[in-house]
Amino acid sequence: RKEVEQDPGPFNVPEGATVAFNCTYSNSASQSFFWYRQDCRKEPKLLMSVYSSGNEDGRFTAQLNRASQYISLLIRDSKLSDSATYLCVVNRGGFKTIFGAGTRLFVKA
Amino acid sequence: EAEVAQSPRYKITEKSQAVAFWCDPISGHATLYWYRQILGQGPELLVQFQDESVVDDSQLPKDRFSAERLKGVDSTLKIQPAELGDSAMYLCASSLALGGTYEQYFGPGTRLTVT
């Protein structure tokens, strides 16, 4: 079993839809959590950090559930430009950063 | 806006040859990472530096891969000899400091094809 697992996707949604991705992690010592976005053949870029209290940035909402060891990303009012791969990232305290395999999202007009 | 620089952007080499990649992190970033990303998978950490010191190279295939960051600034990743299975994107990233809360900034990557 991989230490960080994501919904494999792809998710195909129409513009304006709400879509949610989940990510589970197996190491309870994990301390920091992030969502990165990666466009096709481009480098990953930070989308948002995930805080224990949950956090929101415009149309994007991230949640952390430590008890169940998962994080989620909710995208509201999807845009064509949201089409990308979303990477879940878990850090075990400085020295170990682990990326999930990513979830591909296609938003269609 | 400051960026992480990598070169070359593309590299085609024959198996058993040596290949090297270069990375120049954002100025002032103490932590530097090398990742390998195979198509359809997430980046896999190969080696992590804090200044010039290696803090994690547990996933680096040390029989053929080496990495250095001699002056604590730019870094080189070398593969010798290259194998067909090494074909992948090699990404360099940097962050302000060691610690999981710092954002990692990625360079554009070097796409390696081994024939």
Side-chain angles (χ1 to χ4, degrees):
Chain A
R1 183 189 173 192
K2 294 182 179 180
E3 187 166 342
V4 177
E5 296 200 75
Q6 297 186 239
D7 293 343
F11 285 62
N12 294 286
V13 302
E15 274 188 295
T18 296
V19 61
F21 308 138
N22 288 323
C23 168
T24 59
Y25 60 96
S26 60
N27 194 314
S28 59
S30 299
Q31 297 182 5
S32 306
F33 309 89
F34 309 87
W35 284 101
Y36 277 69
R37 170 192 169 130
Q38 186 171 27
D39 292 309
C40 188
R41 295 186 171 272
K42 297 285 189 178
E43 71 273 22
K45 292 185 178 180
L46 180 68
L47 179 65
M48 58 197 308
S49 303
V50 186
Y51 304 123
S52 296
S53 56
N55 48 303
E56 186 174 311
D57 183 3
R59 299 182 293 108
F60 299 84
T61 301
Q63 297 279 351
L64 167 63
N65 186 317
R66 286 190 183 272
S68 300
Q69 295 184 193
Y70 78 84
I71 67 173
S72 64
L73 177 68
L74 181 77
I75 305 175
R76 291 181 298 277
D77 188 23
S78 298
K79 311 292 185 190
L80 294 175
S81 58
D82 293 334
S83 297
T85 296
Y86 291 84
L87 298 163
C88 170
V89 182
V90 173
N91 187 285
R92 277 198 254 127
F95 293 157
K96 203 69 176 181
T97 301
I98 301 173
F99 281 73
T103 300
R104 295 188 72 184
L105 171 65
F106 294 100
V107 182
K108 299 179 179 180
Chain B
E1 182 177 308
E3 296 179 342
V4 176
Q6 287 189 250
S7 67
R9 294 289 306 276
Y10 304 92
K11 180 70 177 179
I12 300 174
T13 191
E14 295 181 349
K15 64 179 181 179
S16 80
Q17 295 299 304
V19 63
F21 313 132
W22 177 79
C23 172
D24 191 13
I26 292 173
S27 178
H29 279 197
T31 308
L32 184 146
Y33 313 79
W34 281 103
Y35 291 89
R36 174 172 60 188
Q37 185 173 25
I38 296 169
L39 196 62
Q41 298 182 21
E44 175 194 14
L45 181 68
L46 293 174
V47 61
Q48 180 177 342
F49 290 91
Q50 176 67 12
D51 299 312
E52 66 277 7
S53 300
V54 173
V55 294
D56 182 12
D57 63 356
S58 56
Q59 299 301 312
L60 189 71
K62 298 181 187 64
D63 56 335
R64 297 185 300 108
F65 285 65
S66 64
E68 60 183 16
R69 193 184 183 198
L70 292 176
K71 296 182 179 179
V73 181
D74 59 338
S75 176
T76 302
L77 178 70
K78 296 179 181 176
I79 307 175
Q80 181 173 18
E83 295 180 353
L84 295 177
D86 296 332
S87 295
M89 174 75 87
Y90 290 82
L91 292 160
C92 178
S94 70
S95 63
L96 192 59
L98 193 64
T101 58
Y102 292 99
E103 176 181 356
Q104 294 186 30
Y105 295 83
F106 284 81
T110 296
R111 186 168 297 280
L112 173 67
T113 302
V114 182
T115 62

